Amino acid sequence: MRPEAERDTINRAKETRPVNTDDRIRVLHLLPPSTGGMRTHVLTLLDHFDRRRFDISLAAPAAVQKSITEERLYGARFDALELAEVAEPLGLVYGSLHLSALLHRRRTHILHSHGIRAMLAAGLGGRTAPVRIATLHHPLSAGLSLAARHVVAYAYKTQTHCIATGQAIRNELLALGLPKERIAVISNGVAAHRPSAREVATALGEAGLPEGRPLAVIPSRYALNGGPELKEMVERLITASNCSIAFTGQAVDDPVLRDVREALPADRVFFCGYVRDLQAVLCGADVVALPAPGKATPLTALEAMACGVCVVTAPGGELAEVIADGVTGRVSPSNAAEPFAATVLSVLAARAEARRMGAAAREFVLEAFSADVMIRKLEALYIELLETTSGSTEGAAAQG
């Protein structure tokens, strides 16, 4: 059951919509074929937007719709829109033409794209929306070529405004040449809702994870890119404890993880891939480990902390600054395999202490990374940009 305040917020959004939808600001969220943090982020937005003032639509590949229940949409319209890879220019142009037609049909005031692929489509086909906003959820890949960086920089410059989810991402946008006046820092927000015991058991079963053993979850996106030698680290974990290790997320197909899969026992180390209800799996974990969290604060880590689960991260990056070591989680002294594994093992060995840190982490993130605060900042930005951008419609100016 959601806490009372959060449930009231959602009920107001669902039950107090005006009859005349022209009085609301029409916002279309454009999502790539994502099953991870971006999808979770957009669903949190859908949960909390004030529907008296905002008419929300979602456009994404059809496969994304299968992972979203009607309850989570809360009456928001869903339009299937395929977005090709950046390396497929004809497919990207085709998707952009469909996007342009959709924006015209919906008479959209604000196009909000999430991720680089969606932002590129918005740059090509989103010009009919008076306001175009792009959120960069992750730092750019270190392997991105100079030519690709120029394309990304150009696409960002076609946007009215860009949102960075942290200072590290803001610095990247500045490095791409975006003026600081067109960048807003709005941290990801997490909701207070925690899955029920039944939902957790169902999610663990769907992921193929066994019962009766401590569980360490490693989001695969944050197991790569310069973290400890994975095979050695995981070997130490399963040798020194009876825990199961679960890698989650689409990055399980990475060649590095394929090598780990082939070398380690399948009854102890599980490669779950896409998980329908990742939050429930995180809530069922005894520890969530991020050996290579990157520069920015991963939403997955915040979701785990909001579940009251102890998170272990490597030093460096924003997450190590968010977590107070020994208070709201653990920061390993090094990202090398031995000390990182030792830190995870210390959490598994001291269950009461891990629960204490998890409870403190939940209290901290619900205050510092509140979904309601994120939404209010975003709604204020929407209104400000509409008021200052030429071409705003009369209905948008009404603001409900």
Side-chain angles (χ1 to χ4, degrees), residues 29 63 154 174 180 192 200 248 275 288 314:
H29 286 273
Y154 170 78
L174 290 172
K180 62 181 181 181
V200 170
T248 61
V275 174
V288 173

Side-chain angles (χ1 to χ4, degrees), residues 102-362:
L102 176 61
L103 293 172
H104 181 75
R105 187 167 69 250
R106 295 285 188 221
R107 296 182 297 133
T108 301
H109 300 128
I110 298 173
L111 172 61
H112 190 158
S113 56
H114 299 267
I116 290 176
R117 195 187 306 190
M119 181 267 300
L120 289 173
L124 291 172
R127 298 302 183 96
T128 58
V131 173
R132 298 173 302 281
I133 299 173
T135 295
L136 182 60
H137 293 265
H138 306 290
L140 298 178
S141 170
L144 207 61
S145 69
L146 182 61
R149 283 183 176 270
H150 282 307
V151 171
V152 170
Y154 170 78
Y156 271 115
K157 290 173 183 176
T158 66
Q159 307 300 300
T160 311
H161 216 79
C162 293
I163 296 175
T165 56
Q167 289 297 328
I169 293 177
R170 177 180 182 272
N171 292 340
E172 285 210 347
L173 292 173
L174 290 172
L176 289 173
L178 270 73
K180 62 181 181 181
E181 295 80 11
R182 290 174 53 194
I183 304 172
V185 177
I186 302 178
S187 299
N188 280 317
V190 292
H193 166 65
R194 277 195 287 199
S196 66
R198 176 178 295 182
E199 289 171 328
V200 170
T202 298
L204 293 176
E206 289 178 351
L209 299 172
E211 299 179 358
R213 279 183 179 160
L215 176 63
V217 171
I218 303 177
S220 55
R221 180 186 185 93
Y222 306 109
L224 308 171
N225 303 324
E229 178 60 40
L230 279 177
K231 178 175 174 292
E232 180 184 351
M233 187 264 288
V234 175
E235 280 181 334
R236 288 177 180 274
L237 290 178
I238 62 176
T239 300
S241 75
N242 67 335
C243 73
S244 297
I245 308 291
F247 286 93
T248 61
Q250 294 168 303
V252 294
D253 293 326
D254 187 279
V256 173
L257 288 182
R258 282 204 300 268
D259 292 343
V260 175
R261 179 185 301 187
E262 293 171 0
L264 298 173
D267 62 338
R268 298 289 303 280
V269 184
F270 300 85
F271 294 82
C272 304
Y274 163 65
V275 174
R276 182 185 60 82
D277 191 349
L278 178 59
Q279 186 187 27
V281 171
L282 294 174
C283 283
D286 296 279
V287 61
V288 173
L290 292 87
K295 299 177 184 177
T297 302
L299 179 57
T300 303
L302 299 179
E303 292 280 346
M305 294 170 75
C307 286
V309 176
C310 185
V311 171
V312 175
T313 188
E318 291 179 352
L319 182 57
E321 298 175 3
V322 167
I323 293 175
D325 187 32
V327 180
T328 57
R330 291 300 316 274
V331 179
S332 171
S334 166
N335 68 350
E338 183 174 354
F340 191 89
T343 305
V344 175
L345 289 169
S346 71
V347 173
L348 291 172
R351 305 291 287 278
E353 180 68 6
R355 286 192 292 270
R356 182 195 63 77
M357 287 189 288
R362 174 173 167 81

Side-chain angles (χ1 to χ4, degrees), residues 12 68 74 93 96 119 127 165 168 218 251 284 350 380 382:
R12 286 198 302 272
I68 305 175
Y74 295 138
V93 170
S96 301
M119 181 267 300
R127 298 302 183 96
T165 56
I218 303 177
Y382 283 174

Side-chain angles (χ1 to χ4, degrees), residues 48-77:
H48 290 78
F49 266 119
D50 183 352
R51 300 300 180 86
R52 295 166 299 182
R53 306 172 75 188
F54 297 92
D55 181 15
I56 307 298
S57 298
L58 176 62
V64 174
Q65 186 177 21
K66 297 177 183 178
S67 66
I68 305 175
T69 64
E70 287 296 325
E71 181 184 2
R72 291 304 301 273
L73 285 174
Y74 295 138
R77 288 184 294 267

